Every structure is written in C-alpha cells, then in structure tokens.
C-alpha cells in the first residue's frame, strides 16, 4: 500500500507541476510557476529585445518563491502531517481557478499577474514538500533535470551490463513515473491554458485534492 501511495503521489504531483508551469506560461505572460529560474532566461531575453516594465515583473517570481518555501517550512513545523502542504497548495490553486472564472485575467493585466504569483507561491509549497518529505515521492516533482539525469545513467547501466541490473531497472521505472507525469501535465497545460486561460488551474486544484485525500487514507 505504501509503495502504491508513493507511485501515485509522484505521478500526480509531477503532472500538476508540469500542468501549472505550462498554463501560466501560455496564459500568464510567459511566466513559469514551477521552474521559476526559467523566468530569469525569459526576463533576459525580453530585456535585450526591448522589453518594457512587464519583463521586470518576471523577477518578482523569485522572492515570491522564496517566501513560499519559508512558509512551507513553517507549516511543516506547525503540523506533523505532510499532507497539510498539499492541501494548502490545492486551496491556493482552487482560489486562483475560481477567481479567474468570475474575474477573467483577460480584463486586467494586474489581476493576471496576481493570479500567476499565487500559483507561483502554491508551487513553491510543492517544492518545499519535495525537500522536507523526500521519501514521500520517488524524486523531485517540479524540476525534471535531475530525474532525466538519473534515468540516463540507469539506461547506460542497463545497456553495458550483460545481465539485467535490477537496481538500475527499478530506479529507471521510478524516474519514468515522474518524467511521464510532468510531460503529460505540460501537454495538457498547453491545451487547457490556450483554451481556458488561467481558469484551467481548477483542474490542477482538483487533482491535488484527490492526491491529498488519497495520502490521508493511505496513512490511516
């Protein structure tokens, strides 16, 4: 049951991260919400292309992200239940989705940036979750670079050994769960972000609530 829970949490959290990252990029002025360091690249590109004040707003994601990590650490100290961070993230995303439904971001850029920053804060909590409760998933769920690196090393080990390396095979399967979830989330995020704008964040909130209740049940 515990292994099934980790498998499920890794897949769902990775999917949510890829989904939110792409939705905010597509519908939120090219802003990454999970890979916030990617905003540095977009910022630099827009500046050399003659970008206006909106380019500088991307830098705000960094302090927002840092504050979210600190709040995640504080929440983990206040409650021993690791699911509390997932629930908080879900409620923040739910708030954004509902607000975007009733007050569309297309009407006001200031409102759009507010919604995006809330999503950045929510994903900051997920990053904190991954660091504070590293055994709850198979690896990072918001940044895939490390997972792809490990998967590449595992593939190499499997190719050079004459017999199946069970350790590498198991590790590869774990990395594949996170990578597949994230990629699937990116594709869905691109489609939904283009079609529904930031209202699409509601789907991520629903997925996280499902993850929260599943984790709660598995720990009873």
């Amino acid at each position: 049951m515990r292994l099934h829970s980790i498998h499920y949490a890794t897949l769902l959290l990775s999917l949510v991260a890829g989904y939110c990252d792409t939705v905010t990029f597509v519908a939120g002025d090219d802003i990454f919400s999970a890979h916030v360091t990617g905003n540095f690249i977009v910022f630099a590109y827009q500046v050399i292309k003659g970008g206006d004040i909106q380019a500088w707003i991307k830098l705000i994601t960094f302090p927002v992200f840092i504050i979210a990590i600190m709040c995640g650490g504080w929440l983990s100290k206040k409650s021993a239940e690791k699911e509390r961070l997932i629930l908080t993230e879900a409620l923040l995303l739910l708030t954004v989705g509902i607000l975007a439904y009733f007050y569309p971001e297309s009407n006001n850029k200031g409102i759009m940036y507010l919604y995006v920053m809330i999503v950045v804060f929510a994903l900051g909590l997920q990053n904190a979750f991954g660091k504070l409760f590293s055994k709850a998933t198979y690896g990072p769920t918001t940044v895939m670079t490390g997972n792809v690196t490990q998967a590449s090393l595992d593939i190499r080990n499997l190719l050079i050994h004459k017999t199946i390396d069970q350790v590498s095979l198991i590790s590869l399967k774990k990395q594949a769960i996170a990578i597949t979830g994230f990629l699937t989330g990116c594709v869905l995020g691109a489609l939904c972000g283009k079609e529904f704008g930031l209202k699409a964040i509601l789907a991520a909130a629903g997925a996280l609530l499902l993850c929260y209740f599943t984790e709660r049940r598995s720990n009873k």
Side-chain angles (χ1 to χ4, degrees):
M1 182 64 183
R2 178 60 183 157
L3 287 175
H4 176 75
S5 174
I6 296 175
H7 177 109
Y8 185 79
T10 302
L11 179 65
L12 203 53
L13 289 175
S14 297
L15 190 148
V16 167
Y19 181 87
C20 289
D21 214 21
T22 311
V23 167
T24 55
F25 189 84
V26 171
D29 194 28
D30 301 339
I31 295 177
F32 292 109
S33 52
H35 290 76
V36 291
T37 52
N39 294 320
F40 294 164
I41 299 171
V42 179
F43 160 74
Y45 173 77
Q46 290 183 341
V47 167
I48 66 169
K49 288 293 184 178
D52 54 18
I53 188 63
Q54 293 176 6
W56 291 85
I57 292 177
K58 291 174 175 58
L59 293 182
I60 299 176
T61 60
F62 195 61
V64 169
F65 181 80
I66 292 174
I67 293 171
I69 298 296
M70 292 178 176
C71 289
W74 178 79
L75 284 173
S76 69
K77 294 292 184 182
K78 296 292 287 185
S79 174
E81 297 180 358
K82 66 178 184 296
E83 299 88 1
R84 187 66 58 87
L85 283 177
I86 296 176
L87 177 60
T88 304
E89 179 187 359
L91 293 177
L92 287 171
L93 295 180
L94 182 64
T95 300
V96 170
I98 292 174
L99 287 174
Y101 182 83
F102 289 103
Y103 305 99
E105 69 279 1
S106 58
N107 297 336
N108 189 307
K109 275 221 165 186
I111 290 177
M112 178 199 70
Y113 288 127
L114 174 62
Y115 294 165
V116 171
M117 293 306 164
I118 297 175
V119 177
V120 170
F121 190 95
L123 270 294
L125 294 179
Q126 185 170 322
N127 274 276
F129 176 87
K131 286 293 184 180
L132 295 168
F133 308 104
S134 58
K135 293 184 179 180
T137 59
Y138 289 139
T141 58
T142 55
V143 181
M144 291 297 111
T145 305
N147 295 326
V148 172
T149 300
Q150 184 60 54
S152 300
L153 292 173
D154 293 332
I155 291 172
R156 174 189 175 277
N157 289 336
L158 289 170
L159 290 175
I160 65 175
H161 286 94
K162 295 181 180 180
T163 58
I164 296 296
D165 183 348
Q166 290 297 328
V167 174
S168 295
L169 183 60
I170 292 172
S171 176
L172 179 60
K173 289 179 179 179
K174 291 178 178 179
Q175 305 310 319
I177 292 170
I179 295 169
T180 301
F182 192 87
L183 177 59
T184 302
C186 289
V187 173
L188 293 175
L191 295 172
C192 294
K194 181 180 179 181
E195 183 69 23
F196 304 108
L198 293 178
K199 293 189 293 292
I201 293 295
L202 277 172
L208 276 178
L209 287 173
L210 184 62
C211 181
Y212 168 74
F213 289 115
T214 301
E215 281 287 300
R216 292 273 293 180
R217 186 171 64 249
S218 68
N219 290 330
K220 288 184 178 180

